[in-house]
Amino acid sequence: MFERHPGGERAVIVQLDFGEDSVADRLDEVRLLARSAGALVCATIEGKRSFPDSATYAGKGKVREIADAVALHRADVVIFNHALSPAQERNLERAVQCRVIDRTSLILDIFAQRAQSSDGKLQVELAQLDHLATRLVRGWTHLERQKGGIGLRGPGETQLETDRRLLGKRVKLLRERLRRLERQREVQGRSRLRNDVLAVSLVGYTNAGKSTLFNALTHADAYAADQLFATLDTTSRKLWVGDAGHVVISDTVGFIRDLPHELVAAFRATLEATSQADLLLHVVDAASPIREEQRQEVEKVLEEIGARAVRQIVVLNKLDLTELPPAIERDEYGNIARIRLSARRGDGLELLRQALAEAARGKNRGDCLKTTGAASCPSGSMESEPP
């Protein structure tokens, strides 16, 4: 119905305020998400409501405002930075005469663009199909039943039922393939344990600088960019840390607030590898004004995938955007709790290598790396923050 404009789809963003904190930060984040998906943000619609409208989420007046913006800017898509029901999406599309997607669909689209490995593509497809299953009716509003005629007479099954059945078969196949991949990872994990090599995973909010830090440590060429979800597929490299030998360090997908449940479920095989690590380097953007909120969002996902008990060292990255010097901070038990550094400039990287060597020597001695309680192996704290 609408032509795609050269250079990317033109998007109208909708952000409503229901009395939540950090609405401006949420708006900045969805703009970056849209740009990461390849869209050109041509208008932003904001508003306040006490609760979502059951039919259109935004209410009649706001929907008319969105429709006017779509017509004025010849937009290709309207992006709601909220979770919409299938019925709300259909009602909005009829009202604004433009494709409408929600936050979940936007993040799924970015993941679909970024997946490179075979297992990454499988996991993204599974997440998309799970999300699509509740929205199938939108594609068949013109075909309530299969048409009769020569070669078209069937058992009387509706087109929608046929499509759901085929989708169910595909989902079953994908889940079986992912289970096989998970079993392969378990075998690889047992082999690593036999070799007694320290396994380290980089975790953190998306765009915190994990891939830049990974490249700086390992001299790898993992894709790093100032965009959300620049890294999707897990990459692992060996890192020599002096007399402590080698450690295996892995760069993983970044987390984000309101991470779609479909993604967490589909990527469980990849994310569970984080829970099998000996040590997590929780990378935090030290220059972000909402770093504490971002840290808490990461902790929520770690809890969901069973990785909350793994010992953490908090890495305060991007010190080149602050005036703080590189440093190591220890807790009351003498364990390294936080490291301040700049992965882009390389300041403080040697401190991180020292911390990894210390952790590797502890593993070789059989010291505790998995936290069993705050008194035995506490994880890093964020009580004091950089300015």
Side-chain angles (χ1 to χ4, degrees):
M1 183 183 299
F2 288 83
E3 294 182 0
R4 178 175 296 187
H5 293 254
E9 292 181 282
R10 298 175 65 85
V12 172
I13 288 176
V14 180
Q15 172 70 62
L16 301 179
D17 181 1
F18 297 101
E20 302 166 310
D21 295 330
S22 307
V23 174
D25 294 321
R26 292 173 183 268
L27 188 55
D28 290 340
E29 187 173 86
V30 71
R31 287 195 184 106
L32 186 52
L33 280 170
R35 289 197 295 270
S36 297
L40 300 173
V41 179
C42 57
T44 300
I45 305 296
E46 299 180 68
K48 288 187 176 183
R49 289 185 62 88
S50 300
F51 52 86
D53 181 80
S54 59
T56 60
Y57 198 89
K60 292 182 179 179
K62 192 58 63 177
V63 169
R64 282 195 296 270
E65 184 180 347
I66 296 169
D68 291 342
V70 167
L72 176 64
H73 298 282
R74 298 181 63 204
D76 303 291
V77 61
V78 175
I79 301 172
F80 271 70
N81 193 27
H82 308 276
L84 300 176
S85 71
Q88 287 168 336
E89 280 190 12
R90 293 194 299 273
N91 293 336
L92 284 166
E93 287 185 344
R94 294 191 190 102
V96 304
Q97 290 296 295
C98 180
R99 184 159 49 90
V100 176
I101 65 172
D102 64 0
R103 179 184 175 87
T104 298
S105 296
L106 176 61
I107 294 176
L108 286 171
D109 183 82
I110 296 171
F111 270 57
Q113 293 182 46
R114 303 283 161 75
Q116 298 295 326
S117 67
S118 58
D119 52 342
K121 292 177 180 178
L122 287 176
Q123 290 171 116
V124 171
E125 184 181 355
L126 177 59
Q128 288 180 312
L129 292 180
D130 282 338
H131 187 63
L132 178 64
T134 59
R135 287 160 166 77
L136 276 179
V137 66
R138 66 188 295 181
W140 300 106
T141 53
H142 65 296
L143 281 176
E144 180 58 28
R145 287 196 171 273
Q146 291 177 338
K147 295 179 180 179
I150 296 174
L152 294 176
R153 296 184 180 93
E157 186 176 38
T158 67
Q159 184 66 56
L160 181 59
E161 289 167 348
T162 300
D163 208 54
R164 280 180 175 154
R165 179 167 49 82
L166 294 175
L167 185 146
K169 288 183 177 180
R170 180 64 179 168
V171 167
K172 183 178 179 181
L173 176 63
L174 290 174
R175 286 186 172 143
E176 178 55 37
R177 289 181 179 176
L178 288 174
R179 276 194 290 269
R180 288 200 296 269
L181 288 170
E182 187 175 356
R183 288 194 291 269
Q184 292 175 9
R185 289 191 185 94
E186 290 176 354
V187 172
Q188 293 168 356
R190 286 195 294 269
S191 174
R192 176 186 58 78
L193 288 173
R194 286 195 297 269
N195 293 331
D196 210 30
V197 177
L198 181 76
V200 181
S201 283
L202 293 171
V203 299
Y205 207 78
T206 183
N207 208 31
K210 296 183 302 301
S211 294
T212 302
L213 179 59
F214 179 79
N215 290 337
L217 282 172
T218 66
H219 304 291
D221 57 355
Y223 181 64
D226 184 20
Q227 55 186 209
L228 301 188
F229 299 116
T231 299
L232 183 55
D233 297 304
T234 299
T235 304
S236 299
R237 293 286 188 276
K238 278 188 176 181
L239 176 66
W240 177 256
V241 287
D243 60 348
H246 282 103
V247 301
V248 175
I249 185 167
S250 299
D251 185 20
T252 60
V253 62
F255 302 144
I256 197 170
R257 66 161 63 92
D258 303 325
L259 189 67
H261 176 74
E262 294 94 336
L263 277 176
V264 176
F267 275 75
R268 186 166 296 276
T270 296
L271 295 175
E272 280 181 349
T274 300
S275 66
Q276 302 303 316
D278 299 307
L279 176 67
L280 302 181
L281 296 181
H282 186 160
V283 183
V284 177
D285 181 353
S288 172
I290 56 170
R291 55 186 172 271
E292 177 60 24
E293 181 182 343
Q294 292 176 344
R295 186 192 68 82
Q296 291 174 0
E297 292 295 333
V298 173
E299 296 291 349
K300 288 180 185 177
V301 180
L302 293 176
E303 181 76 34
E304 186 171 352
I305 65 175
R308 187 64 181 86
V310 182
R311 183 191 166 193
Q312 289 186 29
I313 293 177
V314 174
V315 178
L316 292 169
N317 189 27
K318 303 189 182 181
L319 284 193
D320 49 298
L321 302 179
T322 72
E323 296 182 356
L324 292 174
I328 285 181
E329 299 178 14
R330 295 181 182 269
D331 59 23
E332 62 270 31
Y333 304 98
N335 296 316
I336 296 175
R338 304 201 304 176
I339 299 175
R340 300 200 305 260
L341 56 78
S342 169
R344 187 176 68 85
R345 286 198 318 209
D347 300 340
L349 286 182
E350 188 56 37
L351 298 178
L352 180 55
R353 291 190 182 94
Q354 293 173 18
L356 292 174
E358 184 175 317
R361 286 192 293 267
K363 179 178 174 63
N364 293 335
R365 292 194 306 264
D367 295 353
C368 175
L369 278 171
K370 296 267 185 157
T371 60
T372 55
S376 56
C377 283
S379 61
S381 170
M382 291 284 287
E383 293 178 359
S384 60
E385 294 290 346

